[in-house]
Amino acid sequence: MRSAEVSAKISRHLERLRGWLAAGLGHPRVSAVTVREITAWRDHLAAAGGRRKDGGAVAMAPATVNNHLAHASALFSWISAHAPAALLPGGDPTKRVEPLRLPAPEVRALNAAQVRTVKNVLDRLESFHHLTGRRHRSGGRSSTHRHARPLRDRAIVHTMLGTGLRRAEIAGLDLAQLEPHEPDQLRRVKKAKLSGVRGKGRTSRSVFLGLDACTALADYLEHERGRDATADSAALFLAASSIAARRPDGRLSPRSINTIVAEIGAIHDLQIASDDRRLGRLRPHDLRHTFAYLLSQASGHNRAELERRLGHANERYLKLYTNPPEEIAAGYVEDL
């Protein structure tokens, strides 16, 4: 019932547990796993469970450590239900291991000035990918790098900024979910939407698209997507066909969405002189926070509308998403 990506993540997490046990005990037999071992594994992940690009150890985020614990707990719950009682004489060793306390969520919504300059960069995104030199110009028009897909990247960011979709939800979109999906109709229609968006917890929802997203999607579908599509390409957003390591169906991975958004953030900051508009590292969830805050303002903080559009009912995160950016919050105090 799980996607291939989620199954692969669970396998990686359990393989880390197997490696930890084998290194510490000399074998990975589940009958030897105790509360002490699971606790030590949790603490190891929190201190040095991650890896930098150079291969060095780095601390894992508490949420990632807790995700590992959840997958280990699911494994031992399955073992407890199906294996002989003698296999785990002490019972499920994960039940008495407390997850790490999560830090207070950080508000990442962009302020109005940042949203304006991000959209300005998106309007000019093609120009940043042009190759320089006379030999790259034909008919007065500059060519772009063969892997570059500026119209796709522009459409992705406008869609995230205008719908609050998560990166995995963006990567999982199919062309058939876009209504309508003909470029000329997208430019004319008053109500375009993405139907059946698959979210966390096997939820499904529909989201409406604004003018910016519709225009950007129409441009991408008309001028770029056809270059990368094959008969098996159901995904809305496709990786460049010139990339040898792309998936057989061409679908972008969630990590690719991270890279695309971060690169646009880097271009933005190179164009901006004032420090108060700089983004630092732009992440997909920053766009989700921005959408949620603007939706909260526009809907009068309507909880039902926020749950429906964000696909999230957790009170903790609804409060986070709807907190104002620091500049706006500071303005409240200044006016008192």
Side-chain angles (χ1 to χ4, degrees):
M1 297 298 292
R2 297 183 176 93
S3 68
E5 185 171 0
V6 171
S7 297
K9 181 173 74 170
I10 293 172
S11 296
R12 288 197 303 272
H13 291 182
L14 296 181
E15 176 59 25
R16 287 182 182 131
L17 175 58
R18 189 205 65 78
W20 166 260
L21 294 172
L25 301 177
H27 61 79
R29 291 194 294 273
V30 295
S31 58
V33 181
T34 64
V35 175
R36 185 193 303 276
E37 297 300 332
I38 296 296
T39 302
W41 181 54
R42 178 200 63 186
D43 296 342
H44 161 71
L45 293 176
R51 286 289 177 270
R52 296 194 299 265
K53 290 184 178 179
D54 62 3
V58 66
M60 268 188 185
T64 306
V65 174
N66 291 346
N67 202 222
H68 281 67
L69 288 176
H71 293 154
S73 177
L75 170 65
F76 279 96
S77 293
W78 184 89
I79 291 172
S80 299
H82 293 84
L87 184 64
L88 296 174
D92 186 341
T94 65
K95 293 301 183 187
R96 286 182 286 161
V97 179
E98 291 292 327
L100 297 180
R101 186 180 296 276
L102 297 177
E106 180 185 1
V107 179
R108 292 284 301 181
L110 308 185
N111 60 42
Q114 290 172 324
V115 171
R116 179 176 178 178
T117 49
V118 165
K119 289 185 175 182
N120 178 266
V121 167
L122 292 174
D123 289 341
R124 300 181 292 126
L125 195 57
E126 278 188 281
S127 65
F128 297 113
H129 291 278
H130 285 166
L131 295 171
T132 59
R134 185 180 302 173
R135 69 189 183 90
H136 296 299
R137 292 188 174 89
S138 59
R141 182 180 177 87
S142 296
S143 59
T144 59
H145 189 282
R146 65 194 183 105
H147 295 336
R149 296 295 183 267
L151 296 181
R152 178 204 62 194
D153 299 350
R154 172 173 166 251
I156 286 173
V157 173
H158 269 308
T159 300
M160 299 183 81
L161 195 55
T163 63
L165 293 185
R166 304 175 178 91
R167 60 172 193 162
E169 293 169 344
I170 286 286
L173 288 173
D174 289 339
L175 178 61
Q177 293 175 256
L178 178 60
E179 302 175 12
H181 58 257
E182 295 295 333
D184 56 337
Q185 294 181 29
L186 267 177
R187 292 190 177 97
R188 294 196 311 265
V189 73
K190 291 185 178 180
K191 287 186 178 179
K193 68 177 182 178
L194 290 163
S195 61
V197 177
R198 298 176 291 277
K200 288 185 177 180
R202 301 178 188 172
T203 59
S204 178
R205 69 189 190 280
S206 293
V207 295
F208 293 101
L209 299 170
L211 178 61
D212 286 336
C214 285
T215 302
L217 284 165
D219 290 343
Y220 166 59
L221 294 175
E222 183 174 359
H223 301 293
E224 273 188 7
R225 187 179 181 278
R227 296 164 55 186
D228 304 314
T230 66
D232 299 326
S233 299
L236 174 58
F237 297 113
L238 300 172
S241 56
S242 55
I243 299 176
R246 84 169 191 163
R247 298 180 178 188
D249 60 357
R251 188 181 296 273
L252 287 172
S253 68
R255 287 190 178 185
S256 299
I257 307 295
N258 277 0
T259 302
I260 289 168
V261 172
E263 286 180 350
I264 289 174
I267 293 172
H268 171 277
D269 283 2
L270 287 173
Q271 297 290 305
I272 301 302
S274 59
D275 291 339
D276 60 339
R277 291 200 185 195
R278 292 184 181 275
L279 305 175
R281 179 175 176 82
L282 184 63
R283 296 174 290 190
H285 241 57
D286 301 346
L287 306 177
R288 178 172 168 83
H289 283 214
T290 304
F291 168 79
Y293 173 69
L294 296 176
L295 177 62
S296 178
Q297 296 294 104
S299 66
H301 311 290
N302 187 312
R303 180 187 171 90
E305 183 66 11
L306 290 168
E307 287 184 11
R308 181 167 59 167
R309 300 304 173 203
L310 293 172
H312 215 315
N314 187 300
E315 181 68 27
R316 180 173 184 260
Y317 284 99
L318 283 180
K319 288 181 179 178
L320 164 67
Y321 292 149
T322 55
N323 279 346
E326 286 189 2
E327 292 79 2
I328 295 176
Y332 295 157
V333 178
E334 291 173 0
D335 294 338
L336 293 178

